[in-house]
Amino acid sequence: MHHDETSRPLTLGEGRISAYLSIGLGALAILAVLCFRFPDWLTTPDLRAAYDLAVLRVLLALGMGAAVFFGLLTFALGRCRRLGSLGLGLTAVALALGGAGVEVGPRADAPVFLGLDWMVLDLLASALALGAIEKLAPRRADQPILRPDFWHDARYFAFNHLGIGLSLFIGAALVPGLFSWTINEGVQGWFRGLPGVVQFLIILVMADVMEYALHRAMHEIPALWRIHAVHHSVEHMDWLAGSRLHLAEPLATRALVLLPGFVLGAEGAPLLAYITFAATQAGLNHANLGLKLGWVEKLLVTPRFHHWHHASDSVAVDTNYAAHLPLIDWVFRTHHMPKDGSWPAAYGVIGKKLPKGIVRQFLYPFVPRWWPKKA
Ligand SMILES: [Zn+2]
Ligand SMILES: [Zn+2]
């Protein structure tokens, strides 16, 4: 794929937007039909319980209709007909697999699942909601949606969402076995007797103290830094950039960040509220958002706070580790938020750049000749 071609700003009337919409919707339709056919293998159990199948079928039919419309539009415009045909072809495949009337597949009791539905839902929510507010209040107005490395990060988005089943599986298999000795019924009974809001705040603070420790360790221990450096190779911040994580990082951190909640016996609404809050904040923190948030910046981690964490300015290196509460960095003297409200000039790891490509970046921590020489 030619980067200069795909990174060009999208302009109306040249057919490229229609073609991408048609391809995107056609591909989503195939994934949705597969989710209907193989629910146990491809969907997330907690989400599956909440679905209304009749509504999903209507959405699928509308999506396929829109994919056909945008595919045909490229022909009407007489531009990008090749890409438009691809969108029409993908929609035809979705139809051949059963379309909106596809029957729900049998129960398979799959041990591990691919979070296809989670990937699709989070993609739609992030792309639409975060994409829209990025347009309303951009940090860099001149940064196109399809900026350099967009497709690279899109692949990370797909892999890390599909892998959620694996990390939940590892977490569910390892954590209770390794940490069951920490469970104290007195402590858990006390915790569950607290008001929901207080439970949420305790989970938030303890998860962020854990996040701070893990994150700082990843910056200070060379073997761990080589894994985390993948995340710091991001040079263009937006809603998608935060997805660039070495596979080992979410596998290790997700389970450990939730460990304090496990010990306390967190469950139900307070735990769900924390997970939703954490996911939303993570998306916002990397977004291309230039909001001026005033006092909120003192209370919560904001885009400017986490953008400084990604800065290549030497004053900001190894600062702002917290994911939720800047107070933790302030306590440990790693807090960096210029009072003048300024933003970093550039992002990315200093010195030698990482190898390109998701496979090489996966191997990077294990291949010493790719590491930068000691200064
Ligand atoms: Zn970091
Ligand atoms: Zn980040």
Side-chain angles (χ1 to χ4, degrees):
M1 194 161 290
H2 296 285
H3 270 286
D4 20 344
E5 175 60 22
T6 53
S7 317
R8 228 162 18 92
L10 293 166
T11 5
L12 282 173
E14 61 170 25
R16 216 149 50 99
I17 297 175
S18 295
Y20 282 137
L21 281 172
S22 180
I23 293 170
L25 288 166
L28 286 177
I30 294 179
L31 297 181
V33 173
L34 289 174
C35 283
F36 270 96
R37 292 182 80 108
F38 308 104
D40 274 17
W41 290 99
L42 300 179
T43 66
T44 313
D46 289 330
L47 292 173
R48 208 187 304 146
Y51 291 144
D52 182 331
L53 288 182
V55 174
L56 290 179
R57 285 183 196 282
V58 173
L59 287 176
L60 177 53
L62 288 173
M64 291 173 66
V68 171
F69 171 79
F70 287 117
L72 292 176
L73 197 58
T74 61
F75 284 85
L77 292 167
R79 318 280 286 267
C80 297
R81 278 168 293 191
R82 273 242 194 95
L83 290 173
S85 315
L86 177 58
L88 290 172
L90 291 170
T91 315
V93 172
L95 201 60
L97 288 168
V102 63
E103 274 188 38
V104 177
R107 299 226 40 143
D109 288 321
V112 191
F113 61 91
L114 284 177
L116 254 189
D117 55 341
W118 163 235
M119 178 184 83
V120 169
L121 290 174
D122 198 30
L123 177 66
L124 290 175
S126 310
L128 295 177
L130 291 173
I133 47 176
E134 281 185 351
K135 284 288 148 201
L136 290 174
R139 152 78 187 115
R140 288 193 170 156
D142 57 346
Q143 180 171 294
I145 298 175
L146 300 178
R147 40 88 179 163
D149 292 340
F150 177 90
W151 295 108
H152 180 60
D153 291 341
R155 280 188 281 274
Y156 269 108
F157 185 95
F159 275 108
N160 287 331
H161 279 74
L162 292 175
I164 190 173
L166 186 64
S167 59
L168 290 177
F169 177 74
I170 291 178
L174 287 185
V175 170
L178 286 175
F179 296 100
S180 55
W181 58 272
T182 61
I183 290 176
N184 176 305
E185 283 184 11
V187 171
Q188 295 204 340
W190 165 79
F191 181 76
R192 287 176 187 154
L194 294 169
V197 178
V198 179
Q199 290 187 40
F200 167 81
L201 291 174
I202 294 177
I203 303 171
L204 184 74
V205 171
M206 296 195 66
D208 210 21
V209 170
M210 183 62 102
E211 164 70 27
Y212 181 94
L214 291 170
H215 193 174
R216 189 160 172 178
M218 285 191 285
H219 276 251
E220 294 185 359
I221 300 171
L224 297 180
W225 165 251
R226 287 173 206 122
I227 291 171
H228 187 56
V230 169
H231 186 59
H232 280 276
S233 68
V234 167
E235 291 175 356
H236 302 267
M237 297 288 275
D238 65 5
W239 62 274
L240 192 56
S243 302
R244 196 186 300 177
L245 289 168
H246 190 283
L247 187 67
E249 195 176 323
L251 283 185
T253 55
R254 267 195 206 128
L256 289 169
V257 164
L258 287 173
L259 184 61
F262 170 80
V263 173
L264 288 170
E267 57 181 11
L271 182 62
L272 192 66
Y274 167 72
I275 293 173
T276 311
F277 181 85
T280 310
Q281 205 179 17
L284 284 168
N285 286 344
H286 294 96
N288 178 25
L289 270 180
L291 295 169
K292 290 187 180 63
L293 290 165
W295 60 269
V296 179
E297 290 193 327
K298 298 216 185 318
L299 196 66
L300 290 174
V301 168
T302 57
R304 191 163 79 95
F305 182 91
H306 196 65
H307 277 230
W308 274 112
H309 178 68
H310 279 268
S312 50
D313 308 43
S314 57
V315 282
V317 169
D318 298 336
T319 62
N320 296 7
Y321 293 115
H324 308 309
L325 307 164
L327 179 72
I328 301 175
D329 276 288
W330 187 79
V331 168
F332 292 106
R333 299 175 175 276
T334 49
H335 187 266
H336 181 80
M337 277 292 260
K339 291 232 166 32
D340 58 3
S342 60
W343 290 73
Y347 306 103
V349 285
I350 297 170
K352 189 174 182 278
K353 299 215 171 133
L354 254 64
K356 291 274 176 202
I358 204 164
V359 176
R360 280 163 176 252
Q361 293 191 347
F362 177 76
L363 295 172
Y364 173 77
F366 316 108
V367 183
R369 66 190 162 82
W370 288 347
W371 303 345
K373 306 246 176 341
K374 288 233 166 59

